[in-house]
Amino acid sequence: MVKYGLDYTRCRWILPLLLGIGVIFGIIALAARGWLESQTLPYVHQASLWESCRKPFEGGEWRCESLMGYAWGRAAAATYLVGFILLVICFALAIIAFAIDTLRFNFIRGIGGLLFVAAVFSIMGLVIYPVKFSSEIEMTGINMFSWAYGFGWTTAIMEICLGFFFCCLPNYEDQILGNVKPTYFYSSP
């Protein structure tokens, strides 16, 4: 990306594309029911960010209880949702920033700062959920925090890493825009 500059059409959209992938992972984490699952037989417990479902016995019907009745459930959902909304705002701002012919590097650094704030909110929700869920909800057998919870952590890690990229990118403004004369480390005969 630095070799060709951000005007190189294929490299220009890498960071907004990665933000878009983070948004997709966040949608999966918000919508999926795989935050917690029973790991061993009998498979009787399954939970999402919004509800906890259990089967009284193998082959029975799932009974679901909303986690929004608990203060910690509302707090975990709200903080993760705020982090996700900030991520979507950063995605929209990145599309706007990279669509403009003349890049505004201070604008890009602001997106990086907003991504760090989004990561803090996401991590707060991802920490509140397992701590309070395991202490206040009765669980049977061996349970594991599963794939959808992993998508939530992947989103938070992407927010942190992309925040670093967006914050550090303005430091290389001249190299990215091609304003620096290349240096060669060999002498001509």
Side-chain angles (χ1 to χ4, degrees):
M1 189 160 113
V2 174
K3 179 179 179 185
Y4 295 107
L6 285 177
D7 287 332
Y8 190 64
T9 55
R10 287 183 291 197
C11 294
R12 184 180 193 122
W13 295 101
I14 289 175
L15 292 176
L17 175 69
L18 289 172
L19 275 174
I21 291 170
V23 168
I24 291 169
F25 286 175
I27 290 170
I28 292 170
L30 284 169
R33 191 181 270 187
W35 279 55
L36 179 121
E37 294 177 338
S38 297
Q39 185 175 4
T40 59
L41 286 174
Y43 298 110
V44 295
H45 203 176
Q46 190 176 42
S48 70
L49 181 61
W50 312 102
E51 62 185 3
S52 174
C53 300
R54 33 175 100 245
K55 277 198 273 189
F57 56 90
E58 189 68 31
E61 293 293 320
W62 288 98
R63 285 182 311 146
C64 296
E65 170 192 14
S66 174
L67 295 178
M68 297 302 110
Y70 298 96
W72 62 266
R74 290 189 302 271
T79 55
Y80 190 79
L81 196 59
V82 166
F84 176 74
I85 289 170
L86 290 174
L87 177 64
V88 171
I89 290 170
C90 288
F91 176 64
L93 291 175
I95 296 249
I96 292 168
F98 285 97
I100 297 171
D101 289 333
T102 306
L103 287 173
R104 302 285 183 235
F105 280 94
N106 290 336
F107 185 58
I108 291 173
R109 189 170 276 155
I111 294 171
L114 197 57
L115 279 169
F116 284 123
V117 173
V120 167
F121 277 104
S122 296
I123 290 171
M124 283 182 355
L126 289 166
V127 169
I128 291 170
Y129 183 84
V131 169
K132 298 305 280 183
F133 192 98
S134 60
S135 67
E136 293 194 20
I137 303 289
E138 180 185 339
M139 294 188 277
T140 308
I142 299 173
N143 296 286
M144 66 177 178
F145 290 97
S146 190
W147 60 273
Y149 184 68
F151 272 106
W153 274 107
T154 303
T155 303
I157 291 168
M158 287 182 77
E159 289 168 346
I160 293 169
C161 293
L162 288 169
F164 278 114
F165 276 119
F166 275 94
C167 283
C168 293
L169 197 60
N171 294 341
Y172 301 99
E173 178 178 2
D174 290 331
Q175 290 87 348
I176 291 169
L177 295 177
N179 297 333
V180 175
K181 188 175 181 180
T183 56
Y184 299 103
F185 295 105
Y186 64 91
S187 60
S188 59

